[in-house]
Amino acid sequence: MTADPPGGRKAVAVWCIGVAVYFVAVIFRTSLGVAGLEAADRFHVNASALSTFSLLQLLVYAGMQVPVGLMVDRLGTKKVLTLGAVLFTAGQLGFALSPSYGTALAARALLGCGDAMTFISVLRLGTRWFPARRAPLMAQLAGLVGMAGNLVSTLVLAPVLHGLGWVPAFAGSAAAGLVVLVPLVLFLRDHPDGHGPAPVTRGGGGFVRRQIRESWREPGTRLGLWVHFTTQFPAMVFLLLWGMPFLVEAQGLSRTTAGALLTLVVAANMVFGLVYGQLIGRRPAARLPLALGTVGITALLWGSVLAYPGPRAPMWLLVTLCVVLGTCGPASMIGFDFARPANPAERQGTASGITNMGGFLASMTTLLAVGVLLDATGDDYRIAFSSVFVLEALGVTRILRLRGPALSREHDRTAPAATAAAQQPGPADNPSPAGV
């Protein structure tokens, strides 16, 4: 059995190169969120057409997860990250220069393809360069960097856009893709010497079917998908599209105050990411309680806001809701902590891709459901946002059904490794020569 990677400074340096690529991808992904009004004016479209940008990007991202996972397993991290960086840079530049709505949609789809290749690749770097006990923390740190990218698009890109205009802002930001591409090509390596995964058997379609079939067969992979499905979408739907209209139209807040509350969600996400990563790294048994607890407290706060007897919820309750929504991103990362130990190294990319689809499928479903219900009820946000509870209930039932088989198989797989590690001779049993 291959020993855990040693970690160390070189591992940190390589991981930082990969996570820098992901950071830029998130800036590009969220850049439209600060340019909605400008995009509507530039492409002469209404709100429905404008929302298609977000839905298309989520659709492409979710649809690419399993193919990207297969690519990571077959081609390696560096090749996939390099392709992703080229695609999302070209997409951002194309969006800057697009003369029409159709070409802008195509550019966002291209950006979505490149963006989809980054996160799974960064997860793979974490598992190949750091010891297994560090994997939950590295995954949470990667998510934290993604949230930092979201903040950059809000705090940096928005002022540039308003000060210099559309083309300078978006074309200038595209240069960041070229900046991260250079160290990626020159210095990133898939794994440290002596810690490569087992060779992957080639075989065209047979390889694809085998990877997907064997990954899906593991209860831990399916549990990871449903944990990701159930925990991620409430915050993503709020941040990506419906949070601002809800806070302004239903709660009567100014755009400035609503924007501050959205920023609070992002900041809380970053703080809770560190907390969850440390807890899970030290106590793996905390994974399921944290995931289910996050779902429960999120449902409780949403229910409290929507059922508040007055026409508008008080500010303290809205602030509490936004802080709690900040736990959704870190909780969704727990899904990967179930899928990771359920699959060998040569299937990590595929398993991560399957897991990562969960939250984005839930987000797309809820984005559409809220919009349809708003139209059907005359903008009744209480009814529209009640769709959140339906998906949460579905996800919790699947989690509860899969937790027994998944945890049992994980214990059977990891118990022999833990016993072997405990039987390794310690320093007192195998003293080193003096001076070594």
Side-chain angles (χ1 to χ4, degrees):
M1 184 178 61
T2 304
D4 264 359
R9 293 182 179 178
K10 187 172 184 179
V12 172
V14 171
W15 183 82
C16 285
I17 293 173
V19 84
V21 178
Y22 175 56
F23 174 74
V24 173
V26 173
I27 294 175
F28 291 179
R29 179 200 305 174
T30 57
S31 59
L32 183 61
V34 301
L37 296 176
E38 290 82 357
D41 290 340
R42 181 176 178 84
F43 302 116
H44 309 292
V45 295
N46 57 22
S48 297
L50 188 63
S51 68
T52 304
F53 282 122
S54 298
L55 290 173
L56 175 64
Q57 197 164 321
L58 279 182
L59 180 63
V60 171
Y61 190 100
M64 286 289 292
Q65 290 309 295
V66 172
V68 167
L70 292 164
M71 291 171 63
V72 170
D73 287 336
R74 190 159 188 173
L75 302 177
T77 304
K78 181 173 183 175
K79 291 179 180 179
V80 177
L81 262 183
T82 301
L83 178 59
V86 170
L87 291 178
F88 68 61
T89 301
Q92 185 78 341
L93 182 60
F95 191 60
L97 304 177
S98 291
S100 67
Y101 176 68
T103 55
L105 275 178
R108 294 303 287 186
L110 186 65
L111 191 157
C113 285
D115 180 19
M117 297 180 181
T118 58
F119 186 64
I120 293 177
S121 298
V122 171
L123 288 180
R124 176 64 172 252
L125 283 178
T127 60
R128 298 313 304 163
W129 280 90
F130 294 91
R133 68 182 184 277
R134 297 289 186 189
L137 178 59
M138 302 314 295
Q140 292 288 354
L141 287 175
L144 187 151
V145 171
M147 285 294 102
N150 196 329
L151 283 178
V152 167
S153 65
T154 302
L155 301 177
V156 178
L157 185 62
V160 174
L161 175 67
H162 298 150
L164 299 180
W166 181 276
V167 173
F170 280 93
S173 66
L178 299 177
V179 171
V180 296
L181 190 60
V182 174
L184 168 60
V185 172
L186 294 179
F187 303 114
L188 190 134
R189 294 172 55 196
D190 287 348
H191 50 77
D193 294 336
H195 293 275
V200 176
T201 304
R202 307 290 174 177
F207 164 78
V208 172
R209 289 192 297 271
R210 183 174 61 254
Q211 289 287 96
I212 296 174
R213 181 181 64 249
E214 293 179 359
S215 296
W216 185 255
R217 184 180 295 167
E218 292 291 342
T221 305
R222 284 176 277 139
L223 178 60
L225 179 146
W226 284 106
V227 167
H228 199 268
F229 177 100
T230 314
T231 54
Q232 187 201 47
F233 78 94
M236 175 163 283
V237 168
F238 196 79
L239 287 171
L240 195 62
L241 187 59
W242 293 118
M244 180 68 76
F246 170 74
L247 294 172
V248 173
E249 296 178 0
Q251 299 301 315
L253 302 181
S254 67
R255 287 182 175 270
T256 301
T257 304
L261 288 178
L262 295 181
T263 303
L264 177 62
V265 177
V266 176
N269 188 305
M270 298 173 71
V271 173
F272 282 113
L274 291 175
V275 174
Y276 278 36
Q278 291 285 357
L279 283 174
I280 296 169
R282 294 174 180 177
R283 296 181 179 274
R287 291 173 298 174
L288 206 56
L290 277 175
L292 292 175
T294 298
V295 175
I297 193 66
T298 302
L300 175 64
L301 263 296
W302 259 125
S304 299
V305 170
L306 298 179
Y308 191 78
R312 296 170 183 172
M315 179 58 71
W316 67 264
L317 186 55
L318 294 175
V319 169
T320 306
L321 171 66
C322 290
V323 171
V324 168
L325 287 176
T327 65
C328 292
S332 71
M333 304 298 294
I334 297 173
F336 300 103
D337 296 323
F338 286 112
R340 187 184 305 112
N343 293 272
E346 60 270 19
R347 285 207 310 267
Q348 288 294 318
T350 305
S352 295
I354 292 173
T355 299
N356 207 28
M357 280 199 316
F360 291 94
L361 290 174
S363 296
M364 285 189 295
T365 302
T366 310
L367 281 169
L368 290 172
V370 170
V372 169
L373 289 172
L374 285 174
D375 289 339
T377 61
D379 292 338
D380 189 327
Y381 280 91
R382 294 188 177 188
I383 294 177
F385 271 112
S386 295
S387 58
V388 169
F389 305 122
V390 177
L391 270 72
E392 286 188 325
L394 171 63
V396 168
T397 58
R398 298 304 303 166
I399 290 171
L400 294 178
R401 178 172 295 185
L402 287 164
R403 63 175 178 174
L407 295 177
S408 177
R409 284 181 66 89
E410 181 178 314
H411 178 268
D412 293 342
R413 180 177 285 108
T414 58
T419 301
Q423 294 174 347
Q424 291 292 323
D429 302 310
N430 186 22
S432 298
V436 177

